[in-house]
């Protein structure tokens, strides 16, 4: 009986989001307790994999952020490929509303952050931090709303968040690359080329492909390009259908999802959400960095998504999701302001200074937390689907 109950809890749509919240709360508690020293020592522990003094030697926090998160991005890549070939991103007309809303929901938060931090050379590089949406967290909160929200709303939010992640991947590739080592970058093209050939021939064995992807990850890491992008590239080269008619993409996605959702992402949250609150003052909360992040997630996301949806419906280019009202859209626009995992990740790429990273965590947790509460409240107060009637278009 207990095992059956645990299995039902794990399978619940909200489970991933709830576990993320618990991991973040655990990090906050530990970082502000007598165990803060152990927490810092744990994350700073050096793990090395070397052969004749050549290899990788990094603190545990970087193994989590560069290594385990590459698996997270690998799963995102698999989801993107599946959605583009078979799912919600297959037909262009189904992508217009959430796609353009995603663009607005990334541009406005970045603009808000930039305005708040304009002229501050120390913090301006964090402009992309509030542009991201945490899929698991946002969908987890929406699942808690239950039947009060129409099913079409989940499809809209999922599509928007997927495209949001794609935008974040592009931003990381273009703007968060360190000094390039062209030798390693050229070497990374070799396993990439072999994987491309395997994809074209529909090779059904994924182990060699994953091994080549790991080699590419190491080479990309040493090249200066952020290594998580190797995970996305590897995912896109997994054959959708092999020569036996089976789908390696489906098989890998199904197998990886529980490990990413219930181990990798919560571990990342625990390692990165430990903001130190000791001595925190109102001036620190309202400093440009945390204020820009929280304002971007709350105001920028909401204005970008709602403004884009309103404009498209006003021009007759799109309609609200079936059964959804403007109240529903307002709630979803708030939920999209839950940046959390992706925002913390981009924050880590933006700043190496511990003081600035503490401000990043403060801004992300404050903005994401308020966005979650607001989104949940608005959706719970919105009319039920059967009361909503036909969706409004203006």
């Amino acid at each position: 009986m207990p095992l059956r109950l645990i299995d039902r809890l794990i399978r619940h749509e909200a489970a991933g989001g709830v576990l993320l919240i618990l991991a973040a709360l655990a990090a906050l508690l530990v970082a502000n307790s007598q165990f803060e020293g152990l927490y810092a020592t744990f994350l700073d522990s050096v793990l090395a994999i070397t052969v004749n003094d050549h290899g990788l030697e990094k603190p545990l926090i970087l193994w989590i952020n560069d290594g385990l998160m590459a698996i997270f991005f690998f799963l995102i890549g698999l989801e993107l490929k599946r959605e583009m070939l078979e799912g919600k991103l297959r037909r262009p007309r189904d992508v217009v509303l959430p796609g353009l809303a995603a663009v607005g929901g990334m541009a406005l938060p970045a603009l808000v952050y930039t305005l708040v931090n304009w002229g501050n050379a120390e913090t301006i590089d964090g402009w992309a931090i509030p542009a991201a949406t945490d899929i698991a967290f946002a969908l987890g909160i929406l699942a808690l709303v239950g039947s009060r929200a129409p099913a079409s709303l989940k499809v809209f939010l999922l599509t928007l968040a997927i495209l949001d992640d794609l935008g974040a991947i592009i931003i990381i590739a273009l703007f968060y690359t360190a000094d390039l080592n062209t030798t390693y970058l050229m070497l990374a093209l070799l396993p990439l080329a072999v994987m491309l050939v395997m994809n074209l021939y529909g090779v059904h064995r994924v182990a060699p492909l994953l091994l080549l992807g790991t080699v590419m990850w190491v080479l990309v890491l040493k090249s200066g390009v952020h290594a998580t992008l190797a995970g996305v590239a590897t995912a896109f080269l997994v054959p959708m259908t092999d020569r036996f008619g089976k789908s390696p993409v489906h098989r890998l996605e199904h197998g990886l999802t529980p490990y990413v959702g219930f181990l990798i992402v919560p571990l990342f949250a625990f390692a990165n959400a430990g903001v130190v609150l000791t001595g925190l003052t109102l001036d620190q909360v309202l400093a440009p960095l945390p204020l820009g992040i929280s304002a971007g997630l709350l105001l920028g996301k909401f204005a970008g998504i709602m403004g884009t949806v309103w404009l498209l419906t006003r021009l007759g280019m799109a309609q609200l999701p079936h059964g959804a009202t403007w109240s529903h859209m307002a709630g979803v626009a708030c939920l999209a302001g839950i940046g959390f995992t992706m925002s913390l990740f981009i924050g880590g790429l933006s700043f190496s200074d511990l003081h600035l990273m503490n401000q990043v965590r403060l801004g992300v947790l404050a903005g994401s937390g308020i966005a979650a509460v607001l989104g949940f409240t608005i959706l719970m107060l919105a009319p039920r689907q059967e009361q909503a009637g036909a969706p409004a278009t203006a």
Side-chain angles (χ1 to χ4, degrees):
M1 186 66 178
L3 290 177
R4 188 175 300 175
L5 178 61
I6 292 173
D7 183 64
R8 287 178 60 188
L9 289 173
I10 290 176
R11 292 178 183 275
H12 195 282
E13 288 182 299
V18 171
L19 190 57
L20 268 181
I21 296 172
L22 294 176
L25 289 175
L28 277 172
L29 290 174
V30 173
N32 293 278
S33 72
Q34 60 184 343
F35 301 108
E36 188 274 334
L38 288 175
Y39 178 70
T41 301
F42 169 71
L43 295 177
D44 292 336
S45 301
V46 176
L47 175 62
I49 301 177
T50 60
V51 177
N52 291 332
D53 296 326
H54 294 285
L56 297 175
E57 184 174 341
K58 290 178 175 291
L60 184 60
I61 181 68
L62 292 184
W63 280 104
I64 293 171
N65 292 356
D66 292 342
L68 292 182
M69 287 302 283
I71 302 174
F72 169 77
F73 276 88
F74 175 72
L75 180 61
I76 287 179
L78 292 174
E79 292 173 347
L80 279 171
K81 180 168 184 174
R82 173 178 52 78
E83 293 291 353
M84 286 190 292
L85 294 179
E86 297 180 346
K88 303 173 185 66
L89 307 181
R90 181 167 54 90
R91 296 184 300 180
R93 63 185 178 87
D94 293 335
V95 183
V96 171
L97 185 65
L100 293 179
V103 173
M106 296 189 78
L108 264 292
L111 178 61
V112 169
Y113 179 94
T114 301
L115 291 175
V116 174
N117 288 271
W118 188 256
N120 191 333
E122 187 180 34
T123 61
I124 196 67
D125 287 346
W127 59 269
I129 296 173
T133 295
D134 189 302
I135 294 179
F137 210 148
L139 289 177
I141 299 297
L142 184 59
L144 291 175
V145 176
S147 61
R148 297 194 69 90
S152 60
L153 213 60
K154 177 184 176 182
V155 175
F156 174 85
L157 179 59
L158 180 60
T159 306
L160 183 147
I162 289 172
L163 293 170
D164 192 291
D165 277 347
L166 180 58
I169 290 167
I170 294 171
I171 288 173
I172 292 169
L174 294 178
F175 300 102
Y176 291 94
T177 294
D179 295 333
L180 282 178
N181 184 316
T182 54
T183 300
Y184 279 112
L185 192 59
M186 295 301 292
L187 287 173
L189 295 177
L190 295 177
L192 183 68
V194 176
M195 286 190 289
L196 179 59
V197 172
M198 293 173 66
N199 176 275
L200 292 174
Y201 280 91
V203 175
H204 69 285
R205 295 188 181 278
V206 296
L209 190 144
L210 296 179
L211 180 60
L212 287 166
T214 303
V215 172
M216 183 172 67
W217 173 81
V218 174
L219 294 172
V220 170
L221 180 65
K222 287 183 169 293
S223 75
V225 176
H226 201 271
T228 52
L229 298 176
V232 179
T234 302
F236 272 86
L237 291 174
V238 174
M240 192 70 214
T241 305
D242 62 25
R243 55 191 175 187
F244 298 106
K246 297 181 179 180
S247 176
V249 167
H250 287 179
R251 189 165 73 250
L252 281 172
E253 185 181 354
H254 179 75
L256 278 176
T257 296
Y259 293 100
V260 171
F262 294 100
L263 178 62
I264 291 176
V265 174
L267 181 58
F268 172 85
F270 179 75
N272 288 274
V275 56
V276 178
L277 301 176
T278 305
L280 186 67
T281 64
L282 183 61
D283 288 341
Q284 292 173 324
V285 174
L286 298 179
L289 181 52
L291 180 61
I293 294 172
S294 56
L297 289 171
L298 289 169
L299 302 179
K301 277 287 185 183
F302 183 84
I305 292 171
M306 286 296 286
T308 302
V309 172
W310 179 85
L311 183 61
L312 291 174
T313 56
R314 187 74 174 178
L315 294 175
M317 297 174 61
Q319 290 185 327
L320 296 188
H322 179 70
T325 66
W326 285 106
S327 296
H328 290 121
M329 295 307 299
V332 164
C334 286
L335 292 185
I338 304 174
F340 203 66
T341 304
M342 290 298 290
S343 292
L344 288 172
F345 183 76
I346 295 175
L349 300 181
S350 305
F351 306 109
S352 56
D353 182 86
L354 294 179
H355 175 67
L356 292 179
M357 269 308 298
N358 197 59
Q359 292 188 40
V360 168
R361 296 184 184 106
L362 179 62
V364 171
L365 290 176
S368 297
I370 296 172
V373 172
L374 281 177
F376 178 78
T377 303
I378 292 172
L379 288 171
M380 289 299 291
L381 294 176
R384 290 181 178 273
Q385 183 175 357
E386 61 268 19
Q387 299 173 332
T393 58

